Amino acid sequence: MVVIIIIVLLIVLFGPLGWAKSVLSRYNRDEYFSGNGFDLARLILDRLGLNDVGVEETPAGDHYDPEKKVIGLSQARCGRKTLTAVVVAAHEVGHAVQDHQGYKPFRTRTRLVRVAARMERLGAGIMMAVPVIALITRVPATGFLFFLGGLGTLCIPLGVHLLTLPSEFDASFGRALPMLVDGQYIPPEDLPAARKILMACALTYVASALVGLLNVWRWIRVLRR
């Protein structure tokens, strides 16, 4: 029974991220487009009149930075002339369009992500302080309360990414997909695969946050020693 529970938990935690990586990798093999993801992002931005939005290579993963007004794309993925490259680039352009149009869910998402990052660091700090505080106060309940507080803050990123899913789905299916179809940037036979890639883009942050929950388990093991 315990083994089954562990297997189910592993599937829940790693399944979404594994699926997303598999989809993105599968359609990043055959290069048959005239340009890569960087080229497509710049082309769409220029056609939309978003000349103030930059496109640059980044090792930090594909994303849109609303403060710098820059779409960051990875060379390994979007530097290629593949379906994954152009579709992922279109997804990030979708975020740039959301920002330009003042799309409220995107603005909310940006604020929540910043808060989540700070709370996650705070949670890690609290978890590190738990053994020291319990030792100083010599009251087990004190350490337990701090542990619960730290545990809660470490779970915040997952909650934030779940709340921001509407913004991700809008960037994929409300912005990127219509742009790709209307601009005829990809052939019709690639649309089913493009939808899978856009779904993977929308779920990437949530999938990563699920795996991040393993950090909580690591802290529990440390505190039990």
Side-chain angles (χ1 to χ4, degrees), residues 33-117:
F33 287 89
S34 58
N36 58 30
F38 290 87
D39 299 327
L40 181 70
R42 186 71 268 162
L43 176 63
I44 297 178
L45 289 170
D46 290 343
R47 288 190 173 182
L48 294 174
L50 300 180
N51 307 100
D52 61 325
V53 178
V55 181
E56 63 181 32
E57 181 181 341
T58 177
D62 308 307
H63 67 282
Y64 169 67
D65 188 329
E67 292 185 351
K68 298 180 179 178
K69 306 297 181 186
V70 168
I71 292 175
L73 300 175
S74 60
Q75 183 64 36
R77 179 176 295 160
C78 293
R80 308 188 65 195
K81 299 177 181 180
T82 63
L83 183 62
T84 288
V86 297
V87 173
V88 169
H91 173 84
E92 300 306 337
V93 171
H95 282 311
V97 174
Q98 288 177 334
D99 185 28
H100 176 73
Q101 296 179 349
Y103 183 62
K104 289 184 178 179
F106 176 77
R107 298 287 175 86
T108 302
R109 167 188 180 272
T110 302
R111 290 194 296 270
L112 287 175
V113 168
R114 291 173 187 157
V115 171

Side-chain angles (χ1 to χ4, degrees), residues 187-200:
E189 58 268 25
D190 278 340
L191 283 178
R195 289 189 178 92
K196 291 181 182 179
I197 296 171
L198 289 170
M199 178 63 75

